[in-house]
Amino acid sequence: MSSIPENVRYTETHEWVRKDGDRYLVGLTDHAQHEMGEIVMAELPEVGAEATKGDAMGGLEAVKTAEDFFSPLDGEVVAVNEELEANPSLINEEPFEGGWLFAVKASDDSQYDGLLTAEEYKIHIGE
Amino acid sequence: MNKKTPLYEKHVSLEATIQPFAGYLMPIKYGAIKKEHMAVRESVGAFDLTHMGEFRVTGTDATAFLDKLLTNDAAVKNGKAYYSTMCYPDGGIVDDLIVYRIGDQEYLMVVNAANLDKDWAWVQSHLQGFDIKVVNESDDTALVAIQGPRAQEVCVKLTDSDLDSIGYYEHTTGKFAGVDALIARTGYTGEDGFEIYMKYPDAVTVWDSVMEAGKEFGIIPVGLGARDTLRLEVGYPLYGNDIDHSTTPIEAKLGWVVKLKTDKPFIAREVLEQQKAEKPGRYLAGMEVTGRGIPRHGTPLYSGDRKVGIVTSGTIAPALGKAVCLGYVERGFQKRGSELEAEVRGKRISVKVVKLPFYTQGSRK
């Protein structure tokens, strides 16, 4: 069983989103990191890049697979997790904490409320 | 319905990630692929490779038959093995395989699991005119590989056979963990190691004995995931990725297993002879990734704006800490130092052709 904390929202593409002051942190869910296996490289967006809900913001390389990740919200990328450059396995080890990917300043906060709840995400992944 | 190897329950109890592969439920990994990979590079790991196919060829024409079917020369001494390709008349590859010479008139062909049915049909269609018998022993032959610099220290505890006298690509038959086995110093990892062939009912005994004997060396089970990264790190081609019907051994830089020096008329000989003389339009090359990203099977390769090749396998190389790939490039670009670009997720990343193997510190003897 994957860890599916209730204090974050989810996307169907397996990102989690957490409100963090006036920005939102975005990461990969525990379920998704487990499916991908050991992540060995994280290609992150540029700070200042425009974020469009549903658009690919970067990619993750695991030993056997590669997956893009997507912005859950419209807005602007205001920070990226630079720790991942040296230590991409943080995404596997602490998907909801040290393994966050990027932070977005949303242009429409109401989009957050439209994201999946933990309960809905659980159903989405069939757990 | 996928088949289970006799070690399936072992894999389940080890909580392996199990997936269907070539008609078998096979362990892909038991924990982390990188950890399994490094265990084989640094100490020793054990693999269940029972999915591989085994055909036993016996009879007065056994050597002549293999010399017709395969591109490499079957005239090796008893107790030796050889690697070969098996080609279609057009030079495309049916499969690549290891052949063990058991006796004057007996060989064991070990073929890729994914090609088993195709290979069997191919072998059957060429029997005419040869005084031989070919038996498909795949369904009751298990294979356990023990690979890594400490493999011999593990195996020596389990057999009375003199392992020191078995060189690389040599084998013997004898007792291993108390059961009848073919004991071969072969493998697909770039490390020293043994491949042990036995009958299905003996597989659990062998597996348990190997794990017990290997305990002091930190032996761990290794899945097909690390098998793939291990072989790629030493530049060994994988059928279905790097070689197939659309590629020839000359293009794949496997010319060393195409024996043109003999006068034996094997299938595709003329075509391959001509291709070697005229030089093919493309070659398989090994590339190190100098940019960020991992090119994978199907990733296009560019020189400037021109597409000059395609990646056939790519991975992070755990023992090297960088990404590497194999791919076909137009003749000229296969030269060492050639700088190309791979298009990964819409972005160009730099790759550079290097000498194979990527990893050169292997313990292979």
Side-chain angles (χ1 to χ4, degrees):
Chain A
M1 290 290 276
S2 321
S3 166
I4 307 175
E6 306 219 332
N7 64 341
V8 301
R9 291 295 181 98
Y10 297 88
T11 66
E12 291 184 356
T13 48
H14 309 289
E15 291 81 21
W16 57 259
V17 188
R18 184 167 67 225
K19 201 157 174 27
D20 179 55
D22 63 348
R23 60 182 195 166
Y24 296 88
L25 291 185
V26 181
L28 189 71
T29 66
D30 184 46
H31 169 77
Q33 71 78 15
H34 189 76
E35 289 286 301
M36 282 193 77
E38 305 136 84
I39 291 163
V40 294
M41 219 178 276
E43 196 72 43
L44 299 173
E46 302 276 340
V47 172
E50 187 187 341
T52 303
K53 186 175 159 77
D55 276 7
M57 300 304 292
L60 301 173
E61 297 278 2
V63 178
K64 286 280 138 205
T65 61
E67 296 285 350
D68 286 344
F69 58 84
F70 304 89
S71 181
L73 304 167
D74 292 328
E76 184 191 331
V77 175
V78 291
V80 298
N81 185 355
E82 281 163 10
E83 292 283 309
L84 298 179
E85 172 84 24
N87 194 4
S89 59
L90 280 173
I91 298 166
N92 298 111
E93 291 154 12
E94 315 171 11
F96 296 101
E97 298 297 333
W100 65 281
L101 298 171
F102 65 103
V104 59
K105 179 126 174 45
S107 52
D108 175 4
D109 287 294
S110 72
Q111 282 184 340
Y112 176 81
D113 299 319
L115 297 171
L116 302 178
T117 62
E119 196 62 27
E120 288 165 339
Y121 182 66
K122 205 170 182 174
I123 293 164
H124 175 63
I125 61 174
E127 284 193 359
Chain B
M1 188 63 184
N2 288 299
K3 296 181 203 171
K4 292 174 180 172
T5 82
L7 298 170
Y8 175 79
E9 297 302 333
K10 293 278 164 198
H11 308 319
V12 171
S13 67
L14 288 161
E15 295 183 357
T17 302
I18 293 172
Q19 281 174 18
F21 179 79
Y24 285 84
L25 292 171
M26 296 300 291
I28 305 302
K29 58 180 180 175
Y30 299 84
I33 291 174
K34 278 207 274 186
K35 183 181 164 210
E36 291 168 24
H37 182 110
M38 293 313 296
V40 173
R41 286 275 176 261
E42 290 170 353
S43 185
V44 59
F47 303 69
D48 175 11
L49 304 176
T50 299
H51 62 308
M52 300 294 285
E54 293 85 10
F55 305 155
R56 191 175 298 269
V57 183
T58 50
T60 49
D61 291 335
T63 304
F65 176 70
L66 290 171
D67 273 337
K68 179 189 174 186
L69 209 61
L70 306 182
T71 60
N72 207 347
D73 191 350
V76 298
K77 288 185 179 152
N78 298 348
K80 296 244 182 213
Y82 65 100
Y83 173 72
S84 185
T85 48
M86 175 159 77
C87 285
Y88 293 104
D90 67 2
I93 301 173
V94 180
D95 202 358
D96 66 331
L97 65 159
I98 290 180
V99 184
Y100 297 94
R101 184 163 200 177
I102 310 291
D104 289 344
Q105 300 181 4
E106 181 176 357
Y107 294 83
L108 187 70
M109 305 167 69
V110 179
V111 303
N112 280 300
N115 293 334
L116 184 78
D117 295 343
K118 178 184 78 175
D119 289 353
W120 182 246
W122 186 252
V123 165
Q124 290 298 308
S125 70
H126 291 89
L127 294 178
Q128 209 176 359
F130 293 99
D131 179 18
I132 52 161
K133 191 172 83 170
V134 187
V135 180
N136 183 351
E137 299 184 351
S138 306
D139 278 345
D140 64 353
T141 304
L143 169 55
V144 173
I146 302 104
Q147 300 279 304
R150 313 209 70 169
Q152 180 158 340
E153 291 172 81
V154 176
C155 293
V156 78
K157 296 191 201 175
L158 300 173
T159 183
D160 291 335
S161 297
D162 177 16
L163 297 182
D164 278 331
S165 70
I166 304 173
Y168 185 55
Y169 265 70
E170 293 179 357
H171 61 90
T172 190
T173 49
K175 292 280 185 194
F176 190 92
V179 309
D180 291 325
L182 175 72
I183 303 164
R185 196 188 291 271
T186 47
Y188 194 48
T189 61
E191 298 298 331
D192 188 25
F194 292 87
E195 293 186 305
I196 312 295
Y197 297 83
M198 75 229 69
K199 291 296 167 202
Y200 261 34
D202 295 328
V204 168
T205 301
V206 168
W207 180 265
D208 286 344
S209 304
V210 165
M211 295 312 282
E212 182 60 32
K215 216 175 242 176
E216 64 173 298
F217 309 107
I219 197 168
I220 56 171
V222 183
L224 296 185
R227 178 168 156 87
D228 189 47
T229 56
L230 285 159
R231 69 91 191 168
L232 190 44
E233 208 170 58
V234 285
Y236 296 166
L238 171 64
Y239 195 94
N241 273 41
D242 311 301
I243 52 175
D244 60 26
H245 188 167
S246 74
T247 65
T248 73
I250 304 296
E251 293 171 333
K253 292 267 188 159
L254 295 174
W256 62 280
V257 297
V258 181
K259 280 291 162 3
L260 299 174
K261 282 181 190 149
T262 68
D263 55 4
K264 295 172 177 175
F266 57 84
I267 295 169
R269 178 175 177 125
E270 292 75 18
V271 174
L272 296 175
E273 219 157 18
Q274 189 183 352
Q275 189 177 50
K276 191 181 176 189
E278 292 173 356
K279 295 196 175 132
R282 60 175 185 170
Y283 284 105
L284 191 67
M287 287 156 273
E288 256 175 29
V289 179
T290 51
R292 279 181 62 80
I294 304 176
R296 312 267 182 179
H297 185 80
T299 298
L301 292 164
Y302 292 89
S303 170
D305 287 337
R306 201 157 72 80
K307 187 179 168 197
V308 297
I310 191 152
V311 172
T312 51
S313 288
T315 186
I316 189 87
L320 299 171
K322 55 186 160 194
V324 298
C325 63
L326 295 176
Y328 285 95
V329 296
E330 280 181 20
R331 178 162 38 119
F333 291 103
Q334 85 279 9
K335 298 206 169 73
R336 218 175 297 171
S338 259
E339 291 185 12
L340 300 172
E341 287 183 317
E343 193 176 284
V344 177
R345 283 194 308 275
K347 275 191 210 163
R348 295 285 186 91
I349 59 170
S350 302
V351 302
K352 191 169 81 180
V353 175
V354 295
K355 185 178 192 295
L356 291 173
F358 300 111
Y359 179 76
T360 54
Q361 310 299 309
S363 56
R364 197 189 90 183
K365 290 183 176 165

